[in-house]
Amino acid sequence: INDSFDDVAGYHSWNLAWLEGLPMLRELECRLNHAMFGNLSSLRALKDTLEKVVISGCRHVHGSNFMDLADFPRLKVLDLRSTDVYGDIRNIGANDFKVLEELFLPRTVYGGSRYEFQSIAEVSVFMGQIYPLAKRFSLSRSWRLSEESP
C-alpha cells in the first residue's frame, strides 16, 4: 500500500479529490505542477492519516481556508506556498494543528509567505499576535511592507 504521493515538477493532471481513493496516504508532495487542481478541503477524507502536505507552486489548488486542515491529528508539515488558498494565520488557536512542526502558507493568507503589510503599525500588532505560534512551530518569516505604506 502506498503511503506517499510524490509529484515534484510533475506534469500529470489530477484533482485532489482523487486522493480519497488512497485512505492510507501519509505524505503528499506536489511541487510546481500547474496541472494539479482541486479544493484543499478534499483532503479532509485523509484527516486521520496525513502527516505531511506539500502543495507548492500548484496555482490551481484553491480553498476558502487553510484552517480546513487544522484538526488533522497527525499533520506535522503543511506547505501551501504559491497556491490559491486563503485564510488568516491569526485564527490558529491553541487546539489547532496540535502536532505541526512547519507551516508555510501562500501570500493570499493573511500572514503567509511573502504577505504584504500595508503599514508599519500593522506589522507591530501582527507580531504580537503571532508570537505564541512562533513558539509552537516553524513559521515562514518572509513578509513585506507595501511600497505604498505610509
Side-chain angles (χ1 to χ4, degrees), residues 30-102:
C30 186
R31 293 186 172 113
L32 304 173
N33 185 337
H34 300 293
M36 178 183 185
F37 60 98
N39 194 304
L40 186 66
S41 65
S42 298
L43 297 180
R44 295 218 39 92
L46 305 169
K47 172 185 171 184
D48 295 322
T49 59
L50 278 176
E51 297 174 8
K52 180 178 184 179
V53 174
V54 177
I55 303 174
S56 181
C58 303
R59 299 187 187 283
H60 299 293
V61 171
H62 61 276
S64 60
N65 202 327
F66 74 96
M67 293 293 291
D68 288 343
L69 309 184
D71 62 344
F72 282 37
R74 299 174 186 255
L75 192 61
K76 294 178 183 174
V77 176
L78 180 59
D79 184 344
L80 300 172
R81 287 178 281 195
S82 297
T83 61
D84 194 28
V85 173
Y86 293 85
D88 187 329
I89 198 170
R90 299 170 300 174
N91 291 338
I92 298 174
N95 294 317
D96 299 322
F97 299 107
K98 287 271 195 184
V99 298
L100 199 68
E101 297 170 1
E102 298 177 24

Side-chain angles (χ1 to χ4, degrees), residues 88-92 110 117 122-134:
D88 187 329
I89 198 170
R90 299 170 300 174
N91 291 338
I92 298 174
Y110 186 93
F117 291 98
E122 181 185 12
V123 173
S124 177
V125 171
F126 173 77
M127 292 301 172
Q129 292 170 327
I130 66 155
Y131 178 72
L133 295 179

Side-chain angles (χ1 to χ4, degrees), residues 81 103-109 111-115 140 142-143:
R81 287 178 281 195
L103 178 65
F104 300 96
L105 297 170
R107 70 173 128 194
T108 51
V109 169
S113 297
R114 296 175 39 213
Y115 180 79
S140 168
S142 59
W143 301 297

